[in-house]
């Protein structure tokens, strides 16, 4: 017996239809505000009921469930999500199956470092690491980060922001080899990330402060360069240890908060691993716990 093959697009449409059907069948008429009358032969809502609630044609919705080549718009997908009472994860899944980009409505959630994340951060003994929030404020850090970059606990408010430190801190300007190249990348990456928060008062206040505080920021920000650089090599000129080289990576924390874990791994170059160990050994006891 020959096996029927389907194209990836056919398979996606079939999966979309099956997903819609599964969500429809699990939703009771009462939950959807439909009075139960005569005995129903199928579980959940009928196709015509979903179509009526979503404001689409019954025939068109039937074709969608059957996996036919119909292309729902973002507005229709949103209406179907509401009609089927989809949660955030289900709605995202629906948009992915339909090949559409879900419109993002940024909801600011509390930036809270939970115990598991803090424990992992502290376990990175020979890797300087810190957690930044949506605005790139440093929220938590480990002793290795203190040893290399300085004690974030001595900074308050905007001074503990990565963009603010890179552009206004004399210590960071001396610390970072190739400062201008790095600062341009930081600025372009920050602009790309902050696009999700255009109009946010906290972002607007920080940008206004930077425009007043840094001539380089004031010159480069209007150019609207954007970048997305999650990995790379960073050369450091430490005031006591001298030249050090790190490989760095930015890791997303998947809790809806836009927090990121930034990890620096010392390389063998410039004897960076041994130098980091010496810096850690030299830390005062009170600075060995973040």
């Amino acid at each position: 017996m020959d096996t029927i093959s389907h194209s990836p697009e056919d398979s996606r449409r079939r999966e979309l239809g099956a997903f819609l059907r599964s969500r429809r069948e699990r939703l009771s008429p009462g939950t959807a505000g439909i009075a139960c009358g005569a005995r129903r032969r199928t579980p959940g809502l009928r196709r015509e009921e979903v179509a009526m609630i979503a404001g689409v044609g019954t025939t068109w919705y039937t074709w969608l469930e059957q996996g036919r080549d119909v292309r729902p718009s973002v507005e229709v997908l949103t209406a179907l999500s509401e009609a089927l009472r989809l949660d955030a994860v289900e709605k995202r899944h629906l948009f992915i199956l339909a090949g559409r980009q879900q419109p993002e409505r940024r909801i600011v959630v509390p930036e809270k470092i939970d115990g598991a994340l803090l424990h992992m951060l502290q376990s990175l003994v020979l890797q300087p690491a810190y957690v930044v929030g949506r605005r790139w404020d440093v929220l938590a850090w480990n002793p290795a980060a203190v040893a290399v970059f300085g004690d974030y606990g001595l900074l308050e408010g905007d001074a503990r922001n990565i963009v603010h430190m890179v552009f206004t801190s004399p210590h960071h300007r001396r610390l970072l080899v190739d400062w201008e190249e790095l600062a341009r990348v930081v600025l372009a990456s920050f602009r790309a990330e902050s696009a999700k928060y255009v109009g946010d008062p906290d972002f607007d206040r920080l940008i206004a402060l930077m425009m007043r505080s840094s001539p380089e920021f004031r010159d480069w920000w209007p150019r609207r360069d954007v970048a997305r650089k999650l990995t790379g090599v960073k050369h450091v000129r430490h005031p006591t240890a001298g030249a050090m080289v790190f490989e760095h990576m930015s890791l997303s924390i998947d809790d809806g908060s836009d927090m990121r874990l930034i990890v620096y791994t010392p390389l063998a170059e410039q004897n960076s691993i041994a130098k980091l160990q010496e810096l850690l050994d030299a830390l005062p006891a009170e600075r060995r716990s973040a």
Side-chain angles (χ1 to χ4, degrees):
M1 183 175 179
D2 294 336
T3 301
I4 299 175
S5 62
H6 300 281
S7 70
E9 185 67 16
D10 288 337
S11 297
R12 185 182 59 78
R13 286 198 298 264
R14 288 159 64 90
E15 182 59 29
L16 171 62
F19 180 67
L20 287 170
R21 185 167 60 255
S22 72
R23 301 304 92 176
R24 171 174 62 82
E25 291 177 348
R26 72 166 188 180
L27 191 61
S28 68
T31 302
I34 297 174
C36 292
R39 182 179 177 183
R40 305 173 71 91
R41 292 180 297 174
T42 57
L45 296 183
R46 300 186 178 102
R47 286 170 174 167
E48 60 266 25
E49 291 169 338
V50 172
M52 177 188 68
I53 297 171
V56 299
T58 300
T59 300
W60 183 89
Y61 178 76
T62 300
W63 289 347
L64 191 60
E65 275 201 11
Q66 291 174 343
R68 297 199 191 186
D69 188 11
V70 293
R71 303 178 185 276
S73 66
V74 169
E75 293 76 16
V76 167
L77 290 171
T78 300
L80 288 172
S81 299
E82 294 172 356
L84 294 169
R85 306 294 179 92
L86 302 187
D87 63 23
V89 175
E90 292 169 328
K91 183 177 180 180
R92 179 175 180 272
H93 187 65
L94 175 67
F95 272 77
I96 291 173
L97 290 176
R100 296 288 187 182
Q101 180 69 39
Q102 182 177 347
E104 285 197 68
R105 183 181 63 180
R106 303 308 304 175
I107 300 175
V108 177
V109 300
E111 295 177 328
K112 181 180 179 181
I113 311 296
D114 63 25
L117 177 58
L118 189 59
H119 182 260
M120 182 179 70
L121 183 65
Q122 297 302 323
S123 71
L124 299 171
V125 178
L126 276 176
Q127 290 173 288
Y130 49 80
V131 176
V132 297
R134 58 183 169 270
R135 208 187 67 146
W136 293 21
D137 299 305
V138 179
L139 306 176
W141 55 93
N142 66 5
V146 173
V148 174
F149 300 113
D151 192 350
Y152 296 108
L154 301 178
L155 305 175
E156 296 182 356
D158 294 326
R160 201 187 287 176
N161 177 274
I162 293 295
V163 178
H164 191 280
M165 282 186 276
V166 168
F167 279 90
T168 69
S169 166
H171 166 70
H172 276 76
R173 190 178 286 246
R174 291 190 300 268
L175 184 71
L176 302 173
V177 178
D178 301 324
W179 176 87
E180 180 172 336
E181 178 182 351
L182 176 64
R184 287 180 181 274
V185 171
V186 166
L187 186 62
S189 299
F190 176 73
R191 178 180 279 284
E193 288 291 315
S194 65
K196 296 178 288 189
Y197 292 98
V198 169
D200 183 291
D202 285 338
F203 277 80
D204 289 347
R205 184 177 57 78
L206 175 64
I207 293 167
L209 172 63
M210 297 307 304
M211 293 289 282
R212 298 193 302 270
S213 305
S214 167
E216 292 91 352
F217 187 100
R218 190 164 51 248
D219 181 33
W220 300 341
W221 183 254
R223 301 182 188 185
R224 289 178 167 76
D225 294 331
V226 292
R228 182 173 174 80
K229 192 172 180 62
L230 302 180
T231 62
V233 173
K234 181 171 291 187
H235 294 262
V236 167
R237 189 186 300 109
H238 194 274
T240 58
M244 301 177 73
V245 185
F246 296 87
E247 187 175 58
H248 68 88
M249 177 170 288
S250 173
L251 306 171
S252 297
I253 298 170
D254 191 15
D255 65 351
S257 66
D258 276 350
M259 293 191 299
R260 289 181 178 274
L261 173 65
I262 316 298
V263 181
Y264 294 83
T265 302
L267 302 180
E269 187 179 346
Q270 298 289 353
N271 204 24
S272 301
I273 301 172
K275 288 179 179 179
L276 176 57
Q277 184 63 67
E278 291 175 2
L279 289 174
L280 282 168
D281 293 341
L283 276 182
E286 65 272 13
R287 301 178 75 185
R288 292 181 187 175
S289 58

